[in-house]
Amino acid sequence: MNKNFTYLIIFVLAIITISEMIGFQSIPAGPFTIGLLPLVFAIVITMVLGFKLFRKGFWKKVYSERNINFAGKYLIFIMLPLMARYGADVAPQIRDILQVGWVFLIQELGNLGTVIVGLPIAIMLGLRREAIGATLGIGREGELAYISEKYTLESKEGRGVLSIYIIGTLFGAIFFSIFAPILLDLGFRVEALAMGSGVGSGSMMSAASATLVARMPEMESTILAYASASQLLTSFIGTFTMVFLAAPLQQFMYKKLVKGDK
């Protein structure tokens, strides 16, 4: 085994241990609570240690080009256990979920919003091929897998989707932690908010559902079941929406908006 790869394994295990020791942190912000997951701390620590200032000695071996390429190529496999967790949360509430199943299907049309709204804005801001990766979806596991397989993560499209993935992990969870209780205070039903939290991001769903559970602990099982079901369907049906609707629409719009770029 390559020695640098051994250093990478040790580094990953250390980061996981530290992040889990920090655990889920709730930060009061007026009447709201911001939830920070261990995943957020793991990404922040890893990003900071990846700065050139620290990339010396042991860290230089950890952040070697070979390790970076390996991590980018096989990142998607790390996401697979999440699917099993979603299924475990959905099963106990399956009857209730099936009664409103059509609502879950309708919300999948929202996946096209990132293309219709986001792509023109990204191009106006000066992005080109990066915009394809950044606006195909909300930049989570499905989009990450699609872009990495079609373009590779080393491409401009890959940099676009990875940027959105990291930004979504760092700030998406915080946004959802604040936004969900605000809508609850405005009179939205907790079931609807739980369904809306399953947008295809494990960190965002967990942050939103955690804040909802904190506000309504007596409905914990319902909130987690609806959120997990929505997340599961978004990950499954959303993949077909992305491949057969979002991607062709995006390519069509991109050709119209950016002349001469192939």
Side-chain angles (χ1 to χ4, degrees):
M1 181 182 293
N2 182 272
K3 185 174 291 187
N4 287 352
F5 183 74
T6 303
Y7 293 143
L8 175 63
I9 298 298
I10 296 172
F11 173 70
V12 169
L13 292 176
I15 293 297
I16 291 173
T17 302
I18 294 171
S19 301
E20 288 297 330
M21 289 176 65
I22 296 173
F24 181 85
Q25 298 294 321
S26 297
I27 302 176
F32 312 112
T33 300
I34 300 175
L36 298 179
L37 299 169
L39 177 61
V40 175
F41 298 109
I43 287 185
V44 170
I45 295 171
T46 306
M47 287 178 61
V48 171
L49 293 177
F51 292 158
K52 288 185 178 180
L53 176 66
F54 299 102
R55 290 171 68 170
K56 301 175 182 178
F58 174 78
W59 304 120
K60 187 175 182 180
K61 297 175 181 178
V62 170
Y63 288 90
S64 67
E65 184 176 352
R66 182 173 181 178
N67 283 347
I68 292 173
N69 292 335
F70 175 85
K73 184 177 181 180
Y74 294 102
L75 175 65
I76 192 62
F77 290 103
I78 302 173
M79 310 302 175
L80 297 179
L82 282 174
M83 299 298 107
R85 170 62 189 273
Y86 298 152
D89 286 335
V90 169
Q93 303 289 333
I94 190 64
R95 290 186 178 180
D96 294 335
I97 291 170
L98 290 176
Q99 290 178 1
V100 291
W102 61 273
V103 179
F104 288 104
L105 298 178
I106 290 177
Q107 80 167 20
E108 293 308 315
L109 296 176
N111 288 336
L112 300 178
T114 55
V115 175
I116 297 172
V117 178
L119 183 63
I121 293 176
I123 292 173
M124 287 175 58
L125 292 174
L127 298 180
R128 287 299 180 261
R129 302 300 298 182
E130 295 86 354
I132 293 177
T135 65
L136 182 59
I138 63 169
R140 307 321 296 167
E141 289 78 18
E143 291 80 25
L144 193 66
Y146 180 85
I147 294 296
S148 64
E149 287 295 324
K150 187 170 183 178
Y151 301 102
T152 75
L153 292 179
E154 288 73 33
S155 64
K156 293 181 178 179
E157 294 85 351
R159 289 198 293 272
V161 72
L162 265 180
S163 298
I164 295 300
Y165 184 87
I166 293 173
I167 291 172
T169 300
L170 290 176
F171 301 107
I174 296 175
F175 174 81
F176 268 60
S177 296
I178 299 173
F179 198 54
I182 289 177
L183 294 180
L184 186 63
D185 290 336
L186 291 176
F188 282 79
R189 291 186 58 178
V190 68
E191 294 90 346
L193 295 176
M195 291 167 59
S197 67
V199 294
S201 164
S203 59
M204 296 179 197
M205 182 208 73
S206 299
S209 57
T211 54
L212 291 173
V213 168
R215 293 286 297 275
M216 303 187 71
E218 71 279 4
M219 296 192 66
E220 179 178 2
S221 61
T222 299
I223 292 171
L224 295 180
Y226 274 63
S228 297
S230 178
Q231 176 76 1
L232 190 62
L233 284 173
T234 299
S235 301
F236 178 67
I237 300 176
T239 300
F240 293 97
T241 303
M242 173 184 65
V243 173
F244 296 110
L245 294 177
L249 176 63
Q250 185 187 58
Q251 291 295 330
F252 173 79
M253 291 179 60
Y254 186 84
K255 291 178 181 178
K256 294 294 182 180
L257 294 170
V258 183
K259 303 293 184 181
D261 186 78
K262 298 183 179 179

